Amino acid sequence: MLLGTLGLGALGVVAAPALQRGMESFLAGAAERDPTGLTGLLPNGGGFRYYSVTSSVPHKDADNYQLKIDGLVDRPVTYTLADLRAMPQTRMVRDVQCVTGWRVPGTPFEGVRLSRLLDAAGVRSSAGAVRFTCFDGAYSESLTLDQARRADVIVALRMQDKNLSHSHGGPVRLYVAPMYFYKSAKWLSGITVTEDVRAGYWENRGYDIDAWVGKSNGRDDEPTS
Ligand SMILES: Nc1nc2c(c(=O)[nH]1)N[C@H]1C(S)=C(S)[C@@H](COP(=O)(O)O)O[C@H]1N2
Ligand SMILES: [Mo]
């Protein structure tokens, strides 16, 4: 069912003019020739497009999901989904903006503030950045420590007031509200505190490491609580 839908979406993508295919598919090269892996309309997408740089991603749920926090921290830890659900949750309603142009206004995301997880792990003074890895085995992202500690950066368990679906990166994805959506790593499995920012998957292929969505839409206003 999902594969079939993605196949149709990919046909649409192939038929569309090159400009509309989007920078991700343009840059993806080999991945683009694997249409089921890259992009297609989600069944209940509501304007979202499905992105994965790998052609398949293992499914994880409460039984086997783990989020490992390590690197320059005093207390490395591995959380289960139940652990994350038991922590205080933050809900934000912001616009989602992909760098290729599509946008989904007013999308609720809910989860644990990244700053809370970093504080619990005890970030060492030598640290300057945070690297995110994913259980698709390929994608990565990064933020400076200052960016990672913003109140509008969450480890999201829910989107649109439902548990995150597999297609949207469930059970757990990063949500970096003030930045382009490529920062919001899906299928999050690792948070490593590092000295310096390391370029992520798309950043190694030409995207900006600083991915602020412009001041013009107010997304860089950090909430105070
Ligand atoms: N693991 C992983 N995370 C990812 C991506 C990806 O390919 N793999 N694509 C990014 C990009 S470019 C976008 S626009 C969003 C798409 O999220 P969606 O599939 O929930 O719409 O996920 C981001 N996070
Ligand atoms: Mo994107």
Side-chain angles (χ1 to χ4, degrees), residues 146-198:
D146 284 346
Q147 293 166 354
R149 285 192 163 125
R150 287 174 59 107
D152 52 2
V153 175
I154 63 173
V155 169
L157 312 181
R158 291 168 64 78
M159 187 182 118
Q160 295 174 315
D161 296 317
K162 294 185 294 261
N163 289 339
L164 258 178
S165 66
H166 175 75
S167 314
H168 282 303
V172 178
R173 81 183 293 168
L174 187 67
Y175 180 53
V176 184
M179 294 190 178
Y180 285 112
F181 210 26
Y182 66 85
K183 282 284 175 186
S184 296
K186 296 161 62 162
W187 306 298
L188 183 67
S189 58
I191 297 177
T192 303
V193 178
T194 58
E195 251 170 69
D196 301 306
V197 165
R198 294 184 215 166

Side-chain angles (χ1 to χ4, degrees), residues 17-59:
L19 274 176
Q20 287 173 19
R21 278 185 295 170
M23 195 172 177
E24 279 106 359
S25 27
F26 172 72
L27 288 169
E32 187 186 3
R33 289 186 288 278
D34 174 18
T36 57
L38 187 67
T39 184
L41 292 173
L42 283 172
N44 299 302
F48 283 90
R49 284 195 149 250
Y50 173 79
Y51 283 99
S52 175
V53 298
T54 61
S55 53
S56 73
V57 181
H59 286 243

Side-chain angles (χ1 to χ4, degrees), residues 24 51 97-100 102 181-182 202 207:
E24 279 106 359
Y51 283 99
Q97 179 75 59
C98 173
V99 76
T100 60
W102 59 268
F181 210 26
Y182 66 85
W202 283 118
Y207 280 26

